Amino acid sequence: MLRVDVEKQLGEFSLSASFSSEGRVIGLFGASGAGKSSLVNMIAGLLRPDRGTIAIDGEIVDDTAAGIHVPTYRRRIGYVFQDARLFPHLSVAQNLDYGRRMNGLAPDPAQHKRIIDLLDIGALRDRRPGKLSGGERQRVALGRALLSKPRLLLLDEPLGALDEGRKLEILPYLVRLRDEANVPMVYVSHDVAELRQLATQIVMLKQGRVTSFGGVKVLT
Amino acid sequence: MFEISPAEWTAILLSLRVAVIATLVATPFGIALAWLLARRDFWGKSVLDALVHLPLVLPPVVTGYLLLLTFGRRGLVGGFLADYLGIVFAFRWTGAALACGVMAFPLLVRPMRLSIEAIDRRLEQAAETLGAAPWKVFFTVTLPLALPGVLAGMVLGFAKAIGEFGATITFVSNIPGETQTISSAIYSLIQTPDGDAAAGRLVIVSIVLAIGALIAAEWFARRATQRLHGN
């Protein structure tokens, strides 16, 4: 599903990570500054590796030796950021529809309804992002990413900006997503409890290096 | 008492036409340049930035004279345009529009540039992850979010264009009905013995237009903040 073997120098910090996974939810675990976000940004194509390869679903999207770098918008990934990043000038409904329109996909009412119901965001459709709570925003961001029909969903600390109560409110949606949405995910977090609940495989990062890789039990 | 004569109307309408055309033609260039200055680093950027601001600090008569040298009948560009495309600027209202556009350009670009700089680039990244090619990102995210600034720039540019005097009169002279704008009409009127009343009326029209433009620009700026906060 996902194969990563990259090196990147970011100022003083050097990142060198290699792993390959067929897991449904790859949990990328590490303290802040361990290089998790940089790694995810490379998978997304927002950051270009200095050396190495990245393959998503068998397609090579980065290969520095062969000079391949597929731009972000052609990678068919979904990305949920810590800060939601909904478009403030569009309504919730327009935000949700954005990826479908940009990819020129035909409307898929069945999928649309399934995801809206799964995330419980039907009632928010006509609202503006500025009028949503943090938790609602994050659910809409999830829906927006999923509705672009990605082959891989990247989640970079999607609960990081929420307080404890809100986290518990969103977590069940993520579990349902994992079990029902059928999209493989890379889930970035520094929270052991979160990853225990969600991840099927763990990549542990420490100061830019992969220190362990395996099942959830590596989270001791 | 406040009766505007046909001759004054001619000047007012000509000014409006000149300013509208100048603003509309300058806007796409203004947006492109604002984006370039806000987003790209390239060799000669500071020179380009200075060049754009030049009409703001140069004596208008110098700008007008340079326009005459360049776009006049015997000018390098003007001769070419006249011979091959039939476009003549010298002593025509189109020349007035060109002069006003050049003079208004720095004021037009500035709010556009500021509003593009204020856009959260992470929103553009998000658009890209959703499958939007760079030009689609520009038209669906960047430009709509910058729209209040774009409109504010257009309003300010329009206000500057409608009041432009020095460069216009130097480049295209002061021909009633062809190149005599409100400003040059006032200039002529205050030099004629009985022109005070007519000049006074045009002065009032100018003040009303200028204040209206400032209010509009302020309103657009407030809309911009609201938009960026997603309300």
Side-chain angles (χ1 to χ4, degrees):
Chain A
M1 182 59 235
L2 179 64
R3 196 156 48 78
V4 175
D5 178 15
V6 289
E7 279 172 24
K8 176 86 184 170
Q9 192 71 34
L10 294 154
E12 294 284 284
F13 181 76
S14 92
L15 179 68
S16 168
S18 173
F19 65 90
S20 158
S21 170
E22 295 294 325
R24 245 186 324 162
V25 179
I26 305 165
L28 212 54
F29 176 76
S32 60
K36 306 184 299 284
S37 293
S38 304
L39 193 53
V40 170
N41 282 336
M42 274 192 266
I43 298 171
L46 296 172
L47 204 59
R48 214 171 161 155
D50 294 337
R51 192 206 63 74
T53 56
I54 297 173
I56 300 171
D57 207 8
E59 187 204 340
I60 290 169
V61 291
D62 262 305
D63 185 343
T64 47
I68 296 172
H69 176 72
V70 177
T72 301
Y73 66 94
R74 283 206 214 105
R75 293 200 174 194
R76 290 178 43 227
I77 45 132
Y79 198 148
V80 179
F81 303 89
Q82 182 174 346
D83 50 347
R85 304 193 193 178
L86 300 179
F87 303 123
H89 58 300
L90 302 178
S91 70
V92 167
Q94 289 168 321
N95 265 283
L96 289 171
D97 212 28
Y98 187 84
R100 184 191 66 74
R101 274 176 42 223
M102 289 303 122
N103 289 297
L105 305 171
D108 184 346
Q111 188 220 19
H112 198 266
K113 186 179 181 321
R114 198 165 52 84
I115 287 169
I116 301 267
D117 290 348
L118 188 84
L119 295 166
D120 237 339
I121 47 181
L124 310 174
R125 289 186 51 85
D126 299 323
R127 289 218 237 148
R128 287 271 168 167
K131 304 274 188 212
L132 301 179
S133 73
E136 289 170 334
R137 235 174 264 166
Q138 215 47 288
R139 267 147 60 200
V140 173
L142 268 168
R144 182 178 69 171
L146 284 170
L147 285 167
S148 69
K149 301 202 170 176
R151 48 187 180 174
L152 177 68
L153 186 61
L154 308 170
L155 304 108
D156 188 5
E157 308 241 12
L159 306 182
L162 305 176
D163 57 46
E164 278 310 313
R166 295 277 175 216
K167 276 186 194 175
L168 294 175
E169 175 196 317
I170 305 286
L171 216 47
Y173 290 107
L174 289 169
V175 173
R176 275 166 74 182
L177 211 67
R178 177 193 65 192
D179 298 336
E180 295 172 31
N182 255 329
V183 181
M185 302 189 231
V186 174
Y187 192 98
V188 174
S189 181
H190 63 268
D191 186 319
V192 176
E194 241 173 83
L195 286 173
R196 278 224 178 86
Q197 280 201 53
L198 284 169
T200 58
Q201 234 171 0
I202 300 290
V203 174
M204 204 184 283
L205 269 183
K206 207 170 194 174
Q207 288 166 348
R209 302 283 181 279
V210 176
T211 53
S212 27
F213 175 73
V216 191
K217 59 181 182 302
V218 304
L219 293 169
T220 43
Chain B
M1 185 232 132
F2 200 82
E3 189 110 4
I4 294 172
S5 75
E8 289 155 38
W9 268 120
T10 309
I12 293 169
L13 291 177
L14 181 76
S15 272
L16 286 171
R17 174 163 52 149
V18 163
V20 166
I21 297 292
T23 309
L24 290 182
V25 174
T27 295
F29 294 102
I31 294 172
L33 200 76
W35 183 84
L36 216 60
L37 291 173
R39 285 301 166 74
R40 291 273 172 239
D41 271 315
F42 50 90
W43 189 86
K45 179 172 170 175
S46 47
V47 175
L48 182 66
D49 197 14
L51 209 64
V52 171
H53 284 90
L54 212 53
L56 210 57
V57 287
L58 225 50
V61 65
V62 171
T63 307
Y65 184 58
L66 291 175
L67 284 171
L68 191 61
L69 289 182
T70 320
F71 290 96
R73 246 345 220 298
R74 273 169 292 172
L76 205 62
V77 184
F80 174 83
L81 288 174
D83 292 346
Y84 294 96
L85 298 171
I87 301 172
V88 178
F89 287 112
F91 307 109
R92 297 279 175 82
W93 74 269
T94 46
L98 178 66
C100 290
V102 168
M103 292 301 288
F105 203 60
L107 287 168
L108 178 123
V109 168
R110 195 169 170 71
M112 296 184 183
R113 176 182 178 172
L114 289 176
S115 69
I116 292 174
E117 279 173 350
I119 293 172
D120 189 346
R121 302 199 58 177
R122 294 173 308 171
L123 290 171
E124 295 170 331
Q125 280 190 343
E128 225 192 310
T129 66
L130 289 160
W135 68 270
K136 285 184 180 168
V137 174
F138 178 79
F139 283 106
T140 59
V141 177
T142 317
L143 196 56
L145 286 175
L147 194 61
V150 169
L151 293 174
M154 288 175 75
V155 171
L156 275 181
F158 175 81
K160 171 72 191 175
I162 208 162
E164 215 294 313
F165 173 67
T168 311
I169 204 164
T170 312
F171 181 29
V172 294
S173 182
N174 186 356
I175 309 161
E178 184 65 42
T179 63
Q180 190 178 70
T181 57
I182 297 178
S183 305
S184 30
I186 294 174
Y187 175 72
S188 296
L189 284 166
I190 51 181
Q191 289 181 323
T192 5
D194 305 316
D196 287 348
R201 285 193 290 274
L202 288 177
V203 164
I204 291 169
V205 170
S206 297
I207 292 172
V208 168
L209 286 171
I211 292 177
L214 281 179
I215 292 173
E218 184 59 35
W219 186 79
F220 286 127
R222 210 166 315 134
R223 287 271 302 149
T225 1
Q226 278 178 6
R227 222 180 156 91
L228 289 173
H229 290 95
N231 291 314

